[in-house]
Amino acid sequence: MNSTVRLAVQKSGRLSEGSMKLISSCGIHVSNGKGKLKAMASNFPIEFLFLRDDDIPGYVADGVADLGIVGENVVAEKDKDVKAIKKLGFSRCRLSIAIEKSKPYKGIQDLEGKNIATSYPKILGDYLSKNGVKADIHEISGSVEIAPSIGLAEAVCDIVSSGSTLFTNGLKEVETIYRSEAVMIANHNLDAEKEEIINKLLFRIEALQSAQNNKYILLNAPEQSLDKIISLLPGMRSPTVLPLAEKGWVSVHSVINENDFWEKIEGLREAGAEGILVVPIEKMIL
């Protein structure tokens, strides 16, 4: 296999950090020295392009890059001809409309005829149109939160993570219009060799995601309670049961989904389980 896949990632910022952490966790080694715009992995057929996140969908659509890691909000806003192939579970945020704290707000119709400043005119325009609201959208890049205080707009529409930036600038969220996380996008026209490389990369990512969503659990239990405990811990196929040195006791090993963790733990204790250990999983191959 002589093909190399080109992957575009943000050159700096939180999305960049999350992307490179993911790549590293997949066992792919890359040295991207300060200021470098290209780098080749040493142990996987993949080349990295370090770009502005706004440019990534265009590079992928044009075939300059085969893959890209970017926020779903950027993919939706740029509206390029790319396909989303994997949600990555980091850099979660929301796109929200905010107004001054002192202003009353009864609903989306309050924005009728207002000026709204944003870096996301397409997403905002689609949302307003869907809700039958006509407003004047002012596209600006950066420092959107300052718009109401300088008289540019009565409202803003911007990315929100914690909401602290809005609060600091005297604003309050009134509408969440889009939820986003990092996503891997791909060009539509990839040859078979590149598809094979991408499938290998996705396999590694899925192993990581499966591990993050599950925990390995070990516990000791009396044999008489085993049926009840197994019913609480179905695992991937069935729990592993091993005899202990003490007669009448066994050790049970299984995998538990993190969302079910606390509910299951209470049930296991009530069924007689003791010495419960819960261990994070680094990678999980299904």
Side-chain angles (χ1 to χ4, degrees):
M1 184 182 294
N2 297 317
S3 285
T4 297
V5 167
R6 278 187 162 183
L7 170 61
V9 298
Q10 188 184 40
K11 63 183 177 181
S12 62
R14 190 176 60 172
L15 188 63
S16 172
E17 292 170 6
S19 300
M20 298 315 293
K21 181 180 178 181
L22 173 68
I23 293 300
S24 176
S25 297
C26 285
I28 297 172
H29 306 310
V30 57
S31 177
N32 57 314
K34 188 174 181 181
K36 286 183 69 175
L37 298 180
K38 290 199 307 180
M40 189 74 195
S42 61
N43 62 341
F44 196 84
I46 189 166
E47 182 181 26
F48 295 86
L49 305 180
F50 301 100
L51 308 170
R52 289 178 65 253
D53 58 344
D54 286 354
D55 294 334
I56 290 174
Y59 273 75
V60 174
D62 293 341
V64 176
D66 304 302
L67 298 175
I69 297 178
V70 70
E72 288 177 292
N73 56 300
V74 175
V75 178
E77 182 62 34
K78 297 304 176 183
D79 197 25
K80 298 293 185 179
D81 186 22
V82 298
K83 57 182 178 180
I85 60 173
K86 190 69 178 174
K87 290 193 174 187
L88 300 176
F90 62 89
S91 291
R92 288 190 172 99
C93 60
R94 58 193 182 273
L95 185 61
S96 294
I97 297 173
I99 63 173
E100 291 179 282
K101 290 179 190 175
S102 60
K103 302 293 185 183
Y105 186 80
K106 296 178 182 178
I108 188 69
Q109 295 301 323
D110 284 0
L111 299 173
E112 181 73 29
K114 297 291 194 297
N115 296 297
I116 308 175
T118 187
S119 300
Y120 298 90
K122 182 185 183 301
I123 297 176
L124 175 59
D126 290 347
Y127 183 82
L128 294 176
S129 178
K130 178 182 175 182
N131 286 276
V133 174
K134 292 183 179 179
D136 291 323
I137 298 174
H138 295 266
E139 183 178 359
I140 59 176
S141 58
S143 302
V144 172
E145 296 86 355
I146 199 174
S149 65
I150 62 174
L152 177 63
E154 291 86 12
V156 302
C157 179
D158 202 16
I159 290 297
V160 180
S161 294
S162 67
S164 59
T165 303
L166 292 179
F167 183 82
T168 302
N169 286 278
L171 302 175
K172 62 180 179 182
E173 277 184 84
V174 293
E175 296 281 339
T176 296
I177 70 171
Y178 194 89
R179 295 191 180 275
S180 174
E181 65 181 81
V183 63
M184 182 171 284
I185 58 174
N187 182 274
H188 284 286
N189 303 306
L190 298 174
D191 62 37
E193 278 194 290
K194 289 187 176 182
E195 290 278 9
E196 184 179 350
I197 295 169
I198 291 168
N199 287 336
K200 289 181 178 180
L201 176 60
L202 291 175
F203 176 79
R204 298 188 187 195
I205 292 172
E206 286 161 6
L208 289 170
Q209 291 181 334
S210 295
Q212 290 168 357
N213 294 331
N214 292 279
K215 301 292 184 185
Y216 191 74
I217 186 168
L218 306 87
L219 59 87
N220 298 332
E223 285 184 346
Q224 62 190 27
S225 302
L226 194 54
D227 288 344
K228 174 64 174 174
I229 286 171
I230 287 177
S231 72
L232 293 169
L233 287 175
M236 289 176 286
R237 292 188 181 272
S238 64
T240 300
V241 180
L242 303 171
L244 293 178
E246 184 176 345
K247 190 174 181 180
W249 282 79
V250 293
S251 175
V252 180
H253 300 214
S254 189
V255 173
I256 187 170
N257 189 280
E258 192 163 23
N259 294 329
D260 301 328
F261 175 72
W262 289 111
E263 182 182 346
K264 297 289 187 183
I265 290 298
E266 291 301 320
L268 291 168
R269 291 180 62 198
E270 291 172 3
E274 297 180 3
I276 301 171
L277 296 178
V278 180
V279 183
I281 303 171
E282 183 178 335
K283 296 176 182 66
M284 190 165 110
I285 313 300
L286 298 176

